């Protein structure tokens, strides 16, 4: 046993040593804190299509090819291959979505039956929600509602498949508003708004407008809610027939996306995705996964990028459409945070695969987890047999009409533009429209919008043009009309072909010639304007033929709305096919009607 005096001495020494060590700054190293545990999350996969345009059969020519990740050009698209790739890419975490223009401007196999076959196919492969595109309004708002709800076509009745049962997916569009009214339309998908407290919903509608379509949709996967906001290009009123959208207004996308985000917030949905039918142009020949978007001609960001960078920071991801391009970009939201923005080409040639994680507790998307792969729908895998049978059924149904010869060619007629903006096919269509409207409508010239020409007419294999091929060129069933413009108004109309943000040269009939000086300022580029070789008198009146889309001010040719003495004639397709029948074999017309100075 240690003597107490010694023990006391040892304790005192130890205390002194401790005090000395403390005074000298020497301390025991603290243990590092444990890193926080990552918040638990669940996986979600989105598979997205945009701008399908009813391409049930594999699209041909350049419309059926894509540049892949390695720079190779490969054949792509076709419903049976879309279905096959969808099956390969689908897992238990998958939600399938789309960004509009699924219908409209479609091949005859779909258009002959008001696109019911395409909508049925998309529902069958599991698309659950889509934003509307401008082409969803090609036959008007009333027809879009029929496609959504079901019922036979009011003029043509039921298709060979029977009475239409309605789309299996919801169309959404937060910026498609009713100009008048107090009540929400009774449409599929609108019921989600009934889950919001009425007083709060009414307040939001007073602030943002009365929706004509469901603005949002909510889907659940792995116990987590994912919200989708729909929007369509603000230019829709200028690129669809005005009568079809009477009573509607198309609000700014950024403001309406905020509306959709607030609606989702009211429902407690934090994971938010914008499906917007608006996009950018890209550099040619790039990988579909590259961020190859380009600025507009005036140097400003593209319309899609503007939206992607400006919409509410609560929105985590933007999937786009409309420009038919493929890209994957990272942009900054208004709060300075990264978010992904992408598009997947067109015509069923690309499926955008989006993989992400949603935090279990907060319901937020972990933006660092978001990955996008634009998978090209190649045709080097076995096609889906069920879809092949489905497509063949509709092909057989339309064959009698599609295969009917309507004329013949001596050489290819294409949409390829010369430096002046003319094309052999466009000029021929203008000539056909003049021939169809001159006698009864008194037309002296005809003008055709290039965006209304949807396919080339190749000579191969035998020069014969079928009704199906002619329909592919002009699928809109626009009405031919003739109006009166003064010479000054005609000049003003042609000046509208060039603006700081676009060039849209109208294809002229052979009776119209002029000089375009592209180095002159906008609004002062047209000169030497002649009709049948006679100079146009600014004060005189002239009869001008065009389709009802243009006459209504479409493609931003607002001068047409100043016209008088409207006359309506045949459908544009009938004008085209009748011209082919009467003048076959037709040859490519000269492309010298516009002289560049």
């Amino acid at each position: 046993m240690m003597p107490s005096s010694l023990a006391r001495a040892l304790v005192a020494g130890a205390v002194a040593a401790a005090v000395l060590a403390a005074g000298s700054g020497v301390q025991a190293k603290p243990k590092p804190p444990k890193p926080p545990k990552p918040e638990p999350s669940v996986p979600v996969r989105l598979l997205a299509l945009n701008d399908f345009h009813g391409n049930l059969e594999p699209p041909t020519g350049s419309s059926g090819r894509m540049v892949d990740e390695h720079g190779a050009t490969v054949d792509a698209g076709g419903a049976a291959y879309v279905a096959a790739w969808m099956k390969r890419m689908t897992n238990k975490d998958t939600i399938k979505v789309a960004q509009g223009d699924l219908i409209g401007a479609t091949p005859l196999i779909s258009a002959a039956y008001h696109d019911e076959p395409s909508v049925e196919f998309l529902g069958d492969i599991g698309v659950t929600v889509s934003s509307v595109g401008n082409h969803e309004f090609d036959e008007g708002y009333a027809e879009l509602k029929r496609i959504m709800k079901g019922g036979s076509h009011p003029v043509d009745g039921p298709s060979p498949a029977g009475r239409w049962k309605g789309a299996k997916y919801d169309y959404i569009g937060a910026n498609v508003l009713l100009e008048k009214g107090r009540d929400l339309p009774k449409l599929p998908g609108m019921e989600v708004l009934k889950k919001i407290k009425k007083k709060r919903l009414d307040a939001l509608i007073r602030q943002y407008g009365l929706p004509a379509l469901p603005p949002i949709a909510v889907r659940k996967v792995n116990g987590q809610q994912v919200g989708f906001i729909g929007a369509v290009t603000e230019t829709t009123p200028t690129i669809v027939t005005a009568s079809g959208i009477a009573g509607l207004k198309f609000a700014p996308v950024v403001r309406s996306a905020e509306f959709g985000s607030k609606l989702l917030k009211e429902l407690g949905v934090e994971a938010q995705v914008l499906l917007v039918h608006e996009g950018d142009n890209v550099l040619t020949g790039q990988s579909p996964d590259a961020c190859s978007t380009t600025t507009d001609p005036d140097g400003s960001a593209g319309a899609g990028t503007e939206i992607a960078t400006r919409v509410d920071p609560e929105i985590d991801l933007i999937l786009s459409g409309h420009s038919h391009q493929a890209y994957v970009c990272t942009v900054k939201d208004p709060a300075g945070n990264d978010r992904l923005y992408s598009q997947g080409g067109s015509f069923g040639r690309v499926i955008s695969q989006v993989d992400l994680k949603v935090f279990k507790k907060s319901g937020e998307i972990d933006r660092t987890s978001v990955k996008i792969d634009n998978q090209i729908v190649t045709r080097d895998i076995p096609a889906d047999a069920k879809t092949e049978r489905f497509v063949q059924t509709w092909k057989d149904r339309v064959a009698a009409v599609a295969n009917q010869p309507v004329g013949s060619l001596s050489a290819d007629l294409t949409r390829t533009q010369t430096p002046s903006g003319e094309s052999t096919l466009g000029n021929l269509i203008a000539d056909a429209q003049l021939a169809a409207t001159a006698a009864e409508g008194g037309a002296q010239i005809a003008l055709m919008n290039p965006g209304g020409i949807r396919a080339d007419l190749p000579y191969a294999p035998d020069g014969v043009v079928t009704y199906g091929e002619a329909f592919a060129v002009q699928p809109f069933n626009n009405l031919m009309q003739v109006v009166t413009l003064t010479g000054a108004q005609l000049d003003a109309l042609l000046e509208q072909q060039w603006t700081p943000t676009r060039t849209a040269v109208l294809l002229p009939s052979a009776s119209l010639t002029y000089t375009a000086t592209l180095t002159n300022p906008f609004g002062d580029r047209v000169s030497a304007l002649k009709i049948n070789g006679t100079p146009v008198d600014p004060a005189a009146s002239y009869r001008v033929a065009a389709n009802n889309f243009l006459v209504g001010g479409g493609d931003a040719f607002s001068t047409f709305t100043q016209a008088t003495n409207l006359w309506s004639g045949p459908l544009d397709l009938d004008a085209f096919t009748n011209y082919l029948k009467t003048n076959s074999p037709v040859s490519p017309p000269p492309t010298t009607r516009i002289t560049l100075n």
Side-chain angles (χ1 to χ4, degrees):
M1 185 173 183
M2 184 181 296
S4 59
S5 59
L6 180 58
R8 285 195 297 271
L10 291 173
V11 171
V15 171
V19 171
L20 181 62
S24 65
V26 178
Q27 296 181 4
K29 187 175 182 181
K31 291 183 178 180
K34 292 182 179 179
K37 290 183 178 180
E39 184 178 342
S41 61
V42 297
V44 174
R45 172 170 290 182
L46 306 179
L47 297 180
L49 278 173
N50 61 275
D51 298 271
F52 181 64
H53 286 291
N55 277 267
L56 296 172
E57 296 182 270
T60 59
S62 60
S63 296
R65 294 190 290 270
M66 283 292 294
V67 175
D68 68 12
E69 296 88 341
H70 310 291
T73 300
V74 298
D75 291 336
Y81 295 100
V82 171
W85 274 107
M86 279 282 190
K87 285 183 178 179
R88 287 193 175 199
M89 298 165 72
T90 299
N91 61 22
K92 63 181 180 61
D93 312 319
T94 299
I95 303 171
K96 297 173 185 176
V97 301
Q99 296 96 266
D101 276 10
L102 304 180
I103 59 176
T106 53
L108 188 63
I109 187 176
S110 181
Y113 306 106
H114 302 282
D115 287 323
E116 291 174 18
S118 293
V119 177
E120 182 178 353
F121 160 70
L122 292 161
D124 287 346
I125 63 172
V127 172
T128 182
V129 58
S130 174
S131 67
V132 285
N134 53 283
H135 282 287
E136 264 77 17
F137 294 94
D138 279 352
E139 292 192 54
Y141 176 51
E143 171 64 3
L144 174 59
K145 290 191 289 183
R146 185 190 74 85
I147 288 294
M148 295 170 69
K149 295 195 298 183
S152 297
H153 190 272
V155 176
D156 295 335
S159 79
R163 186 180 185 276
W164 176 239
K165 296 178 181 178
K168 295 177 183 177
Y169 55 90
D170 291 332
Y171 270 120
I172 59 175
N175 70 325
V176 185
L177 307 175
L178 292 169
E179 290 183 331
K180 298 179 181 179
R182 298 173 58 186
D183 300 322
L184 292 168
K186 294 181 180 179
L187 291 170
M190 200 69 84
E191 60 273 5
V192 68
L193 299 184
K194 295 180 180 179
K195 299 177 181 179
I196 299 173
K197 290 182 179 179
K198 187 177 186 306
K199 185 177 290 188
R200 181 60 179 150
L201 177 60
D202 289 346
L204 288 171
I205 288 175
R206 283 195 300 272
Q207 181 180 358
Y208 292 99
L210 180 64
L213 298 170
I216 59 170
V218 179
R219 300 293 181 262
K220 184 175 281 190
V221 63
N222 289 330
Q224 296 296 318
Q225 294 186 111
V226 181
F228 299 94
I229 305 163
V232 62
T233 173
E234 298 166 28
T235 66
T236 297
T238 70
I239 52 178
V240 301
T241 303
S243 59
I245 56 171
L248 300 181
K249 58 182 177 181
F250 294 81
V253 170
V254 172
R255 177 174 170 79
S256 296
E258 180 182 79
F259 176 38
S261 179
K262 287 184 177 180
L263 291 171
L264 291 174
K265 281 283 193 179
E266 291 293 324
L267 295 168
V269 180
E270 300 292 340
Q272 300 185 5
V273 179
L274 176 62
L275 306 175
V276 58
H277 190 73
E278 183 62 279
D280 293 335
N281 291 316
V282 300
L283 300 171
T284 59
Q286 303 297 303
S287 164
D289 295 322
C291 183
S292 54
T293 55
T294 62
T295 58
D296 284 342
D298 64 354
S300 63
T305 295
E306 281 284 331
I307 291 167
T309 54
R310 292 177 56 212
V311 292
D312 197 300
E314 292 290 335
I315 297 170
D316 300 290
L317 170 67
I318 292 93
L319 301 179
S320 68
H322 189 51
S323 60
H324 291 202
Q325 307 299 333
Y327 49 80
V328 179
C329 296
T330 299
V331 299
K332 294 289 185 184
D333 71 15
N337 299 314
D338 287 346
R339 64 180 168 198
L340 263 65
Y341 156 58
S342 74
Q343 187 181 163
S346 61
F347 306 146
R349 295 175 295 168
V350 175
I351 299 170
S352 298
Q353 177 179 310
V354 185
D355 287 301
L356 55 87
K357 291 182 179 179
V358 177
F359 291 124
K360 282 186 175 182
K361 186 176 180 180
S362 67
E364 295 270 6
I365 289 176
D366 175 5
R367 291 199 192 177
T368 65
S369 72
V370 182
K371 303 289 187 295
I372 301 180
D373 175 29
N374 275 334
Q375 172 62 57
I376 296 179
V377 179
T378 59
R379 303 177 197 164
D380 56 358
I381 67 170
D384 181 71
K386 181 180 177 181
T387 304
E388 280 189 314
R389 292 192 296 271
F390 174 84
V391 172
Q392 188 61 49
T393 295
W394 287 102
K395 188 175 180 180
D396 292 343
R397 286 168 173 165
V398 80
V401 175
N403 295 333
Q404 181 180 349
V406 295
S408 61
L409 313 175
S410 65
D412 292 345
L413 288 170
T414 75
R415 297 165 291 170
T416 303
Q417 292 181 315
T418 65
S420 70
E422 296 175 78
S423 68
T424 56
L425 183 53
N427 285 7
L428 184 85
I429 290 172
D431 290 343
Q433 293 181 346
L434 180 60
T437 57
E440 294 186 38
Q444 297 165 275
I445 63 170
L447 296 167
M448 176 61 194
N449 55 309
I453 308 172
R454 307 301 288 196
D456 296 333
L457 271 185
Y459 175 85
D462 55 8
V464 173
V465 180
T466 65
Y467 183 83
E469 291 170 329
F471 185 93
V473 172
Q474 288 199 277
F476 295 106
N477 277 324
N478 285 321
L479 198 64
M480 287 308 305
Q481 295 184 319
V482 182
V483 293
T484 297
L485 291 172
T486 66
Q489 288 172 328
L490 177 59
D491 180 79
L493 175 74
L494 295 175
E495 293 288 359
Q496 291 182 318
Q497 296 174 118
W498 302 280
T499 73
T501 58
R502 63 126 198 196
T503 294
V505 175
L506 297 171
L507 288 312
S509 59
S511 54
L512 176 66
T513 59
Y514 62 91
T515 296
T517 307
L518 302 187
T519 55
N520 280 1
F522 295 113
D524 187 28
R525 295 188 167 190
V526 174
S527 61
L529 186 56
K530 296 179 181 179
I531 294 179
N532 293 318
T534 302
V536 168
D537 179 353
S541 295
Y542 299 93
R543 297 289 281 166
V544 180
N547 59 52
N548 62 309
F549 164 69
L550 275 177
V551 170
D555 271 347
F557 286 101
S558 59
T559 302
F560 261 122
T561 64
Q562 302 170 19
T564 59
N565 301 325
L566 175 69
W567 174 88
S568 294
L571 293 175
D572 55 0
L573 178 60
D574 291 342
F576 185 44
T577 55
N578 288 337
Y579 188 84
L580 292 173
K581 290 175 184 176
T582 303
N583 295 281
S584 287
V586 296
S587 299
T591 53
T592 55
R593 300 168 186 183
I594 304 172
T595 301
L596 290 183
N597 190 2

